[in-house]
Amino acid sequence: MVVENLRIALNSLGANKLRAALTMLGIMIGVAAVITLLSIGDGVTRFIAEQFSGLGSNLVFIIPAQEEPGRPGSDPLVESSLTLRDVELLTDPALLPGAEAVAPSLLREAELRYAGEVRSVALRASTPDYLVAWGLEVAVGEFFTATEYNGRSRVVVLGPETVTNLFPENVDPIGEEIKINGLNFRVIGVLASQGAGMFGGSRDDVAIVPLTTAQDRLFNNRSQRTGEFLVDAILMKAVDEAAIDGAIIDASDVLRQSHNINFRDADDFQILTQQDFLDAFGSVTSVLTVFLGAIASISLLVGGIGIMNIMLVSVTERTREIGLRKAVGARRLDILGQFLTEAVIMAVLGGTLGIVLGVIGAFAVRTAVPELDTSVTFNSIALAVGFSVAVGLFFGIYPATRAAALNPIDALRFE
């Protein structure tokens, strides 16, 4: 009976090729959308994980505690709870033996000028340990030294994209003078390329200056309450992955004592590891993937309604055929199986073509955005195919039931 139902279903669909093709088009678009959008969601998740893993597995981020949105002090860049004194304490090997490097940062936007060319870039002010903490490499020239840091020298290290956008091709940037927010700085190094950033933008479009120089000459980053120099964040690199937990405990104790925090009071800082960021981004990307899949599923729903509509038309057109089959002994279950088979075949064929179109769509996205690995996974294909079969069954049940319920005498009289 299964083979016979398949033969009848294929003959029926072959007799109305255009109508069947247009009906399958809805399922095909829906499956393609599901596969493409799920591959994009998975690609974003993998991209974020790769960005963090590329930095190493032994990084610890210290940032000011986030207060409730809208409350005073909720923006850490307005009044940070971290000070330069905190950094000095954290760099003490006696207090923090598990730390290999500690690098504070001021995070700002700055205007760079050279020979009439103007460029707005991300400015990072830090210490010489910034290079080690972030695992950066200098392609040309050198990074600023402790002597230049302590001497508040007006020197700058640029990212390769910044150099490309700011300097003509025939100009060697090393030794050239540029203006940062109107002040002259000498270029002493160019970083090796890092690529796209985990939070958007490019990590190669950056300028790094000594923190002491930025505090004295570029920004008034003193606390309005205490007059101490503030920093926006502190990056700590543990000696290895096993030392992270101990380094976090030691850093927390040092900062609580430095900030005079009572043992019952909450911290005014947050200590986060790469896994914390990955978990946070993973939650966001999971919701995003589900949301994209839900949007794509609407197309499948519309395609399923199309199948139901065509099957109802088919039942009406073939009423006499149904009556004749019942008159010669076809059972209710036989008629039900025949029309359900037709609905499922349309859904499966549409789903198969949708898989091909979805793979092409995912490949097109990867070609347009090479940073995203939008590889199509078996799970997304299985989900799309399973969904298309379920759609065929669900939306084919009512027309098939209606056909099976026809009275053979009334069906034979139907005009």
Side-chain angles (χ1 to χ4, degrees), residues 22 25 89 145 153 186 222 278 311 321 323 364 369 372 378-379 411:
L22 292 176
L25 184 63
L89 292 172
T145 63
S153 301
R186 179 169 54 90
R222 288 181 179 271
L278 283 174
M311 292 306 299
E321 175 194 331
V369 188
L372 284 183
F378 174 77
N379 289 339

Side-chain angles (χ1 to χ4, degrees), residues 231-386:
V231 296
D232 298 330
I234 302 173
L235 177 67
M236 182 172 64
K237 183 176 184 179
V239 291
D240 52 43
E241 190 173 354
I244 288 181
D245 292 338
I248 291 175
I249 294 172
D250 291 339
S252 178
D253 291 340
V254 168
L255 291 175
R256 287 182 66 87
Q257 291 178 18
S258 175
H259 297 181
N260 296 318
I261 298 175
N262 189 284
F263 74 96
R264 292 182 178 177
D265 295 335
D267 295 338
D268 60 356
F269 57 88
Q270 289 179 281
I271 301 180
L272 304 172
T273 64
Q274 288 168 282
Q275 190 59 48
D276 294 327
F277 283 104
L278 283 174
D279 292 341
F281 278 105
S283 300
V284 174
T285 53
S286 296
V287 173
L288 174 65
T289 303
V290 171
F291 179 69
L292 292 176
I295 293 176
S297 299
I298 295 175
S299 301
L300 280 175
L301 181 63
V302 173
I305 293 173
I307 288 179
M308 177 184 284
N309 180 52
I310 292 303
M311 292 306 299
L312 286 173
V313 171
S314 179
V315 169
T316 302
E317 290 178 344
R318 296 160 63 187
T319 301
R320 288 178 62 84
E321 175 194 331
I322 295 169
L324 183 60
R325 283 170 58 85
K326 282 198 166 188
V328 296
R331 296 169 300 172
R332 178 188 179 97
L333 188 61
D334 298 329
I335 304 298
L336 183 68
Q338 175 189 342
F339 283 90
L340 269 181
T341 302
E342 288 187 27
V344 172
I345 286 178
M346 281 194 289
V348 170
L349 288 177
T352 303
L353 295 174
I355 290 172
V356 176
L357 187 61
V359 171
I360 294 174
F363 178 77
V365 172
R366 185 173 185 177
T367 302
V369 188
E371 293 83 6
L372 284 183
D373 178 16
T374 54
S375 302
V376 177
T377 63
F378 174 77
N379 289 339
S380 62
I381 292 178
L383 176 64
V385 172

Side-chain angles (χ1 to χ4, degrees), residues 174-199:
I174 303 301
E176 292 293 319
E177 295 281 338
I178 66 172
K179 288 186 179 295
I180 300 180
N181 290 353
L183 294 178
N184 287 333
F185 279 75
R186 179 169 54 90
V187 180
I188 62 171
V190 178
L191 296 174
S193 178
Q194 303 172 71
M198 67 187 76
F199 302 111

Side-chain angles (χ1 to χ4, degrees), residues 10-26 28 306 310 346 353:
L10 292 174
N11 288 338
S12 175
L13 295 176
N16 298 278
K17 295 183 180 65
L18 181 60
R19 187 172 73 181
L22 292 176
T23 303
M24 289 187 292
L25 184 63
M28 182 177 70
I310 292 303
M346 281 194 289
L353 295 174

Side-chain angles (χ1 to χ4, degrees), residues 121-189:
V121 303
L123 182 71
R124 302 292 180 257
S126 189
T127 66
D129 278 347
Y130 188 88
L131 195 69
V132 177
W134 283 104
L136 303 178
E137 295 181 1
V138 177
V140 183
E142 60 184 8
F143 204 74
F144 54 82
T145 63
T147 301
E148 290 165 325
Y149 176 82
N150 294 326
R152 292 166 170 76
S153 301
R154 286 188 287 181
V155 293
V156 61
V157 178
L158 301 177
E161 186 176 327
T162 306
V163 171
T164 302
N165 293 326
L166 197 61
F167 294 91
E169 292 183 4
N170 59 345
V171 174
D172 182 1
I174 303 301
E176 292 293 319
E177 295 281 338
I178 66 172
K179 288 186 179 295
I180 300 180
N181 290 353
L183 294 178
N184 287 333
F185 279 75
R186 179 169 54 90
V187 180
I188 62 171

Side-chain angles (χ1 to χ4, degrees), residues 21-38:
L22 292 176
T23 303
M24 289 187 292
L25 184 63
I27 296 295
M28 182 177 70
I29 293 175
V31 170
V34 168
I35 291 177
T36 302
L37 293 180
L38 287 180

